[in-house]
Amino acid sequence: MVALTDLPKPDQKTPPTALELKLRRKARINTAIRYSVLIVVGLIMVYPLVWMIGASFKTNAEMFSSPSFWPKEPTIQGFIDGWKTSTPYTFGHFFLNSLWIIIPKVIGTAISCTLVAYGFARFEFPGKKILFVTVIATLLLPNVVTRIPQYLLFRDIGWLDSFLPLWVPSALAGDAFFVFMVIQFLRAIPRDMEEAARVDGANTLQTLVYIVVPMLAPAIISVCLFQFMWTMNDFLGPLIYISSVEKYPVSLALKLSIDTTEAFAWNQILAMSVLTLLPSLTVFFLAQKYFIEGISTGGVKG
Amino acid sequence: MAELHLKSVEKTYGNGFKAVHGIDLKVEEGEFMVLVGPSGCAKSTTLRMIAGLETITGGEIHIGDKVVNELVPGKRGIAMVFQNYALYPHMKVRKNLSFGLSLKREPKNKIEEATNNVSNILEIEELLDRLPKQLSGGQAQRVALGRALIKQPEVFLFDEPLSNLDAKLRASMRVRITDLHKRLRAEGRPATVVYVTHDQVEAMTMGDRICVMKDGHIMQVADPSTLYERPANAFVAGFIGMPEMNLVPAVLKNDAAPVLTLHDQSITVNEGLGHRLAGLAGPVTLGIRPQHLEVVVDGSENAFSAQITNLEFMGHEINVHAKIGDAVFVAVVPTEKFDASLGRGDRVGLKPIGPHIHLFDADTGQNVSLSANG
């Protein structure tokens, strides 16, 4: 298949050959078909999101009366009312709660996953195979299965209604997926640099901090990004462990407005949903460059 | 600088595979020792054991007067240059050079002085603020060399440092490294070097002495000319020299002069061999370098009659491949001395030059034609 970009530009001085004209016509038709399909499918995928953003500027009455996403009388009343919430706290308070859950969790994940992955990828020790299989097994295990025993455990320790049950498992490399991701990335990095560092006199920890971590940066950034987005969107975790409204993160706070209002103020809910999306989107676009490098494991230059 | 001494060093891996079989090697202070051998001969493993990147499972390694068996690499007083440079990709050249010193918490002005000094020697001053990915292969290798040099180690270890470079650059880096070694010697701070390579040209041109290894055993340790002139066994004889030495089974009879029988032909070697043999006789392996095999007219006295199977024109010389029975010999003839009318299928005489004939024991491969005084 010929792509338009493979052919010389038509404004060049020599007239196009007959073959060139034929190929160009073919390429145009091909391109038109491909782009039409992509646009249609893309629109179907993205429409709910676009509708939500549009709807957050609608009045509650208009919401279900027209399928169009463009509000007839745009208003930010939804944002104002939604921000106040039906609780003594503003939505900002819940945002801070979310951050207070996310930031220690992300830091803990990054540190613990790097340490564990470094151990698995670079050292030989008795029982390594069994331990690694265990890590992969937890990766395959649905999260929900462990919820009840975990709940009982944290209840007996007395950590209910605190952020500890959300922080601690991650800080102990409980997220097998991230460990696995970093291990795969590390396997693609040659060991020579670490050996050079050892010859230069670095001990294991210095090698990790000065040599391995900088080389792992794209993978670690991806880990942080995933953890940020997933924690931001996590609903079940906070729902189970956190009972006082004061400590609710945004994911729970959104549901709160559904529960407590008699007639659902959909515009408020949607407005707050839009706000909730913003941090994840911002962080994603800021870190996009590293993120792509991080998930395509081959991107390491030796 | 210090001498390096390996005493019956062994390496057995966890799976029971024995890679190094008790080798003894002494590298004198300031000596350039090359470890050479085919792939899998454990030369790199030996180097990594000296560096401390592999543990040894038997014997002792001495650097200077201390035993370093259990010391971590950083405490052994060694510096290593790796095959793929192994520069730290996220650090600028300057930081790459000084990383080792800053780990030792050397004062800043001392580090800076050392960095400038080394970059001056290796002509990499203008590269100091670049990242490794902005360097060409030759530049990267110079930086890697600088990273070793800056530490002023007791022993330098090189692990095939030139094999990632193209042929031209390799030749110039080879000269640069030997130059540097001689310069340091002249300045009164000779560098003890252990250099691993699979390339015999590097080995022959760079080494003060060469250690030829095979399957975890040392086959011979000697200076380049001894290795070439008086190989201790058939392996060394075949490994050193281009094109390879011809090694062919033959039968030796010792009458008034030694008589060599090959296939159904016999020749008498009148000079240069008899006094080295001490009455030896029986089946042997005949070894003769292509450069020491004269191509003469077929039917000449004391020459094997052979059939040409191939001619390789190399420019200043021609490699003549010729067959005696099943055995194919290669002879190197200067182009101007070669009879241009000869071609594939023609018969020629091959006459080994007496003083350069080697005979190896048919079973052990040991050279039996080395007399005590040469």
Side-chain angles (χ1 to χ4, degrees):
Chain A
M1 203 153 51
V2 183
L4 268 178
T5 44
D6 290 342
L7 297 167
K9 290 209 174 84
D11 56 343
Q12 278 165 358
K13 280 172 193 157
T14 47
T17 61
L19 177 65
E20 233 179 89
L21 287 174
K22 193 177 154 198
L23 287 177
R24 186 179 304 284
R25 197 170 59 241
K26 261 190 165 173
R28 281 211 187 104
I29 296 170
N30 268 330
T31 312
I33 294 172
R34 263 184 285 152
Y35 275 72
S36 318
V37 173
L38 283 176
I39 289 169
V40 170
V41 175
L43 270 181
I44 293 173
M45 308 285 282
V46 88
Y47 186 77
L49 189 68
V50 175
W51 184 86
M52 185 182 87
I53 294 171
S56 66
F57 292 99
K58 290 178 184 174
T59 60
N60 221 8
E62 190 194 340
M63 187 87 55
F64 297 105
S65 58
S66 103
S68 149
F69 66 87
W70 197 255
K72 280 188 199 118
E73 300 154 24
T75 165
I76 55 163
Q77 200 56 43
F79 285 90
I80 296 168
D81 295 343
W83 188 261
K84 283 180 193 151
T85 73
S86 53
T87 67
Y89 313 101
T90 64
F91 216 77
H93 180 83
F94 299 125
F95 262 112
L96 285 180
N97 280 346
S98 268
L99 280 186
W100 187 226
I101 294 175
I102 290 170
I103 290 172
K105 189 167 172 177
V106 166
I107 294 172
T109 308
I111 294 174
S112 62
C113 287
T114 309
L115 280 172
V116 172
Y118 184 54
F120 272 120
R122 288 297 195 251
F123 297 96
E124 294 302 324
F125 48 88
K128 177 177 164 176
K129 268 193 183 152
I130 294 171
L131 287 172
F132 188 67
V133 168
T134 316
V135 171
I136 299 304
T138 55
L139 183 68
L140 303 176
L141 209 64
N143 253 338
V144 185
V145 178
T146 55
R147 289 286 183 197
I148 292 173
Q150 258 184 5
Y151 178 85
L152 297 176
L153 177 73
F154 292 131
R155 187 194 60 188
D156 291 349
I157 303 176
W159 283 355
L160 292 188
D161 202 22
S162 78
F163 294 151
L164 283 168
L166 303 173
W167 289 338
V168 172
S170 292
L172 297 176
D175 304 279
F177 172 73
F178 296 134
V179 174
F180 183 63
M181 198 170 118
V182 179
I183 288 177
Q184 290 306 97
F185 196 89
L186 204 51
R187 280 185 177 159
I189 299 179
R191 290 170 185 230
D192 295 24
M193 274 80 87
E194 291 152 55
E195 291 182 342
R198 281 172 63 197
V199 171
D200 265 348
N203 60 32
T204 309
L205 192 66
Q206 284 169 326
T207 309
L208 177 67
V209 173
Y210 293 127
I211 307 297
V212 178
V213 166
M215 289 194 295
L216 270 182
I220 296 176
I221 288 172
S222 304
V223 166
C224 293
L225 200 61
F226 272 124
Q227 187 65 292
F228 184 97
M229 293 193 291
W230 289 351
T231 311
M232 189 82 196
N233 297 338
D234 183 24
F235 178 73
L236 199 57
L239 179 71
I240 291 174
Y241 295 117
I242 293 173
S243 43
S244 48
V245 177
E246 191 196 341
K247 291 177 182 162
Y248 274 15
V250 283
S251 52
L252 283 188
L254 277 177
K255 176 202 150 248
L256 200 66
S257 37
I258 299 180
D259 274 352
T260 50
T261 329
E262 281 174 12
F264 295 164
W266 280 111
N267 62 341
Q268 292 178 24
I269 295 170
L270 290 178
M272 289 308 102
S273 300
V274 170
L275 286 187
T276 311
L277 283 178
L278 282 180
S280 293
L281 279 180
T282 318
V283 170
F284 177 81
F285 283 115
L286 284 179
Q288 194 186 19
K289 192 183 125 202
Y290 304 98
F291 173 70
I292 288 167
E293 222 177 299
I295 50 173
S296 55
T297 322
V300 191
K301 292 191 190 88
Chain B
M1 283 303 142
E3 62 171 37
L4 167 73
H5 198 169
L6 308 188
K7 288 181 182 167
S8 330
V9 171
E10 288 184 10
K11 171 77 188 178
T12 309
Y13 283 102
N15 59 10
F17 174 70
K18 194 163 188 182
V20 178
H21 302 260
I23 58 172
D24 291 288
L25 181 66
K26 191 166 183 181
V27 185
E28 304 292 342
E29 183 173 340
E31 188 175 29
F32 199 117
M33 172 67 79
V34 177
L35 300 186
V36 70
S39 39
C41 72
K43 54 188 189 299
S44 278
T45 308
T46 307
L47 191 81
R48 290 169 57 81
M49 290 191 302
I50 300 170
L53 295 170
E54 301 269 358
T55 51
I56 63 173
T57 51
E60 279 182 355
I61 298 178
H62 296 250
I63 293 177
D65 45 14
K66 62 182 180 194
V67 179
V68 297
N69 290 1
E70 287 164 52
L71 289 183
V72 294
K75 297 247 187 292
R76 292 192 178 198
I78 47 126
M80 187 157 169
V81 179
F82 292 81
Q83 179 176 356
N84 58 4
Y85 326 130
L87 298 177
Y88 311 126
H90 54 286
M91 295 182 189
K92 294 201 166 139
V93 169
R94 185 187 302 278
K95 187 81 198 72
N96 259 290
L97 291 175
S98 62
F99 182 68
L101 294 185
S102 55
L103 279 182
K104 277 193 207 156
R105 305 195 185 282
E106 298 273 353
K108 268 199 177 139
N109 53 356
K110 208 174 155 194
I111 293 179
E112 196 159 329
E113 193 190 317
T115 311
N116 291 338
N117 190 10
V118 163
S119 52
N120 185 12
I121 293 175
L122 293 166
E123 296 161 38
I124 50 175
E125 290 114 322
E126 71 280 16
L127 309 177
L128 284 177
D129 291 311
R130 291 202 201 163
L131 284 170
K133 66 180 172 195
Q134 297 165 310
L135 303 177
S136 70
Q139 291 170 334
Q141 195 51 277
R142 257 144 68 199
V143 174
L145 201 56
R147 190 171 62 183
L149 209 55
I150 200 168
K151 291 168 64 187
Q152 304 194 325
E154 304 280 353
V155 179
F156 284 95
L157 305 175
F158 290 85
D159 190 5
E160 310 208 17
L162 305 185
S163 50
N164 278 13
L165 303 177
D166 62 58
K168 218 172 167 183
L169 208 50
R170 202 179 307 164
S172 75
M173 277 302 287
R174 213 162 65 203
V175 175
R176 195 184 273 270
I177 292 175
T178 37
D179 263 1
L180 188 63
H181 185 249
K182 286 184 183 128
R183 183 169 154 187
L184 289 176
R185 188 182 282 168
E187 284 173 10
R189 43 187 185 123
T192 311
V193 174
V194 181
Y195 186 107
V196 164
T197 179
H198 61 266
D199 179 356
Q200 51 154 313
V201 179
E202 269 173 39
M204 295 294 276
T205 53
M206 300 176 85
D208 291 328
R209 281 198 302 158
I210 298 172
C211 167
V212 183
M213 294 183 70
K214 182 195 174 196
D215 300 334
H217 294 280
I218 291 181
M219 303 310 282
Q220 188 174 6
V221 184
D223 61 276
S225 79
T226 307
L227 223 47
Y228 186 80
E229 308 282 349
R230 296 161 52 81
N233 48 54
F235 177 80
V236 174
F239 190 79
I240 302 288
M242 276 296 277
E244 267 179 45
M245 181 186 276
N246 299 296
L247 290 165
V248 178
V251 178
L252 172 73
K253 258 200 318 200
N254 225 336
D255 295 339
V259 176
L260 282 169
T261 307
L262 199 71
H263 200 54
D264 49 2
Q265 304 182 30
S266 294
I267 60 164
T268 308
V269 183
N270 286 322
E271 55 182 42
L273 181 61
H275 69 283
R276 290 189 274 145
L277 294 177
L280 192 91
V284 290
T285 302
L286 164 68
I288 183 78
R289 295 199 184 278
Q291 291 81 357
H292 302 146
L293 201 53
E294 263 183 293
V295 176
V296 294
V297 182
D298 190 25
S300 302
E301 195 188 351
N302 290 331
F304 295 112
S305 168
Q307 187 178 29
I308 296 178
T309 58
N310 203 0
L311 293 171
E312 288 175 313
F313 179 70
M314 309 294 288
H316 62 297
E317 55 193 22
I318 290 178
N319 295 351
V320 180
H321 297 245
K323 210 161 66 169
I324 303 173
D326 295 332
V328 177
F329 281 79
V330 181
V332 173
V333 186
T335 306
E336 67 274 9
K337 286 192 186 159
F338 187 71
D339 177 2
S341 67
L342 289 172
R344 253 178 93 111
D346 291 338
R347 294 201 75 86
V348 290
L350 293 179
K351 185 174 181 183
I353 300 172
H356 295 294
I357 293 177
H358 297 281
L359 297 175
F360 303 98
D361 188 293
D363 298 323
T364 62
Q366 291 305 307
N367 195 338
V368 291
S369 57
L370 292 176
S371 66
N373 53 13

